[in-house]
Amino acid sequence: MWPLIAFSVVLYVVSRFNYLLFHSLVEGFAIIVAALIYVLATRTYQHSRNSMFLFLGIAFFHIAVLDFTHLLTYKGMGVFPGSGADTSTQLWIAGRFVETLSLLIAVLFLQQKQINRRLVTAAYSLVTAGLLLSIMVFGVFPACFVEGAGLTTFKVASEYAIVCLLLSGAYKLYRRKDYAEQGVFKTAGMAMIITAASELTFTLYTDVYGIANMLGHLLKI
């Protein structure tokens, strides 16, 4: 507990001096964790036969792709000329919807003995590509942030919807805890609750470099 608190304090100090560095560190950490979940889930499946963990591994790999793009398009990064605060916010919402729905769907696999890995991977690849194209190329994804005005109604409503889905998923997972391995059960349950708390803070900010935005990212780790 103390190391985590100390780490959070260090990150807070970094955010006051260089928010882009803070954001890159937090998002980079989350992306690495998501990638490690994918590696662990896919490499151990033939021994564990844990369909829920495999499904989450595939899901989190694609979530990592969306989050990495969110990181690169963040205001001030300059990797994608023309992309602003709205683009990165859209990618954030897209990633959180995929994450939330994945956690909910994973609960359905608690009693499944196996899943079609290729089919799940193909489905996630199509969804991820579709979201990226809708935001980065075609510009048809709903606006989430307006410079000078702050969050749009769609963004705020989406965050509340995500929170409700996560909390209902955590409750459903608790009701079915007897079907899950304790390690996976606790990890998935904590992920839902912490993500819900993080998303609530993301309904409050008007500045992508502000305190509310920073707090939401800290909760994410």
Side-chain angles (χ1 to χ4, degrees), residues 52-70:
M52 180 181 181
F53 191 39
L54 177 62
F55 179 85
L56 286 175
I58 295 170
F60 272 96
F61 172 81
H62 292 85
I63 293 166
V65 172
L66 291 170
D67 284 349
F68 183 60
T69 313
H70 160 75

Side-chain angles (χ1 to χ4, degrees), residues 92 96 99-100 103 158-170 188-203 216 219-220:
W92 173 266
R96 302 295 67 76
E99 180 181 3
T100 299
L103 288 168
S158 295
E159 294 286 17
Y160 283 123
I162 288 169
V163 170
C164 291
L165 289 171
L166 285 168
L167 293 179
S168 64
M190 287 300 296
M192 289 180 174
I193 293 171
I194 293 174
T195 302
S198 174
E199 295 310 304
L200 281 176
T201 67
F202 285 123
T203 65
L219 286 173
K220 186 179 178 182

Side-chain angles (χ1 to χ4, degrees), residues 9-21:
V9 171
V10 171
L11 286 175
Y12 171 76
V13 174
V14 170
S15 74
R16 297 300 88 196
F17 286 94
N18 190 324
Y19 196 88
L20 279 178
L21 175 59

Side-chain angles (χ1 to χ4, degrees), residues 9-216:
V9 171
V10 171
L11 286 175
Y12 171 76
V13 174
V14 170
S15 74
R16 297 300 88 196
F17 286 94
N18 190 324
Y19 196 88
L20 279 178
L21 175 59
F22 160 78
H23 183 260
S24 297
L25 288 173
V26 173
E27 288 296 335
F29 177 78
I31 290 165
I32 290 172
V33 170
L36 290 176
I37 291 173
Y38 169 75
V39 172
L40 184 60
T42 54
R43 291 292 182 269
T44 62
Y45 180 68
Q46 67 179 72
H47 302 292
S48 69
R49 293 298 172 183
N50 190 321
S51 296
M52 180 181 181
F53 191 39
L54 177 62
F55 179 85
L56 286 175
I58 295 170
F60 272 96
F61 172 81
H62 292 85
I63 293 166
V65 172
L66 291 170
D67 284 349
F68 183 60
T69 313
H70 160 75
L71 169 61
L72 294 181
T73 58
Y74 204 76
K75 182 180 179 181
M77 289 295 284
V79 178
F80 291 94
S83 65
D86 185 41
T87 302
S88 62
T89 307
Q90 289 173 316
L91 287 162
W92 173 266
I93 281 294
R96 302 295 67 76
F97 267 124
V98 173
E99 180 181 3
T100 299
L101 293 175
S102 297
L103 288 168
L104 289 174
I105 294 172
V107 176
L108 302 177
F109 289 114
L110 289 175
Q111 293 176 286
Q112 296 291 325
K113 294 186 177 180
Q114 70 179 85
I115 61 174
N116 189 321
R117 180 173 171 178
R118 291 183 178 179
L119 180 60
V120 172
T121 301
Y124 269 96
S125 296
L126 286 173
V127 169
T128 303
L131 288 170
L132 289 173
L133 288 171
S134 70
I135 295 170
M136 305 289 291
V137 179
F138 301 115
V140 296
F141 195 91
C144 293
F145 187 88
V146 178
E147 292 285 358
L151 303 175
T152 64
T153 301
F154 169 79
K155 203 274 187 180
V156 175
S158 295
E159 294 286 17
Y160 283 123
I162 288 169
V163 170
C164 291
L165 289 171
L166 285 168
L167 293 179
S168 64
Y171 175 73
K172 186 172 183 178
L173 182 62
Y174 174 77
R175 291 290 301 272
R176 303 184 66 184
K177 63 180 179 179
D178 292 338
Y179 297 106
E181 293 183 12
Q182 285 302 304
V184 176
F185 163 72
K186 291 180 180 179
T187 300
M190 287 300 296
M192 289 180 174
I193 293 171
I194 293 174
T195 302
S198 174
E199 295 310 304
L200 281 176
T201 67
F202 285 123
T203 65
L204 304 174
Y205 70 90
T206 56
D207 179 4
V208 293
Y209 289 175
I211 294 293
N213 190 285
M214 179 271 294
L215 179 60

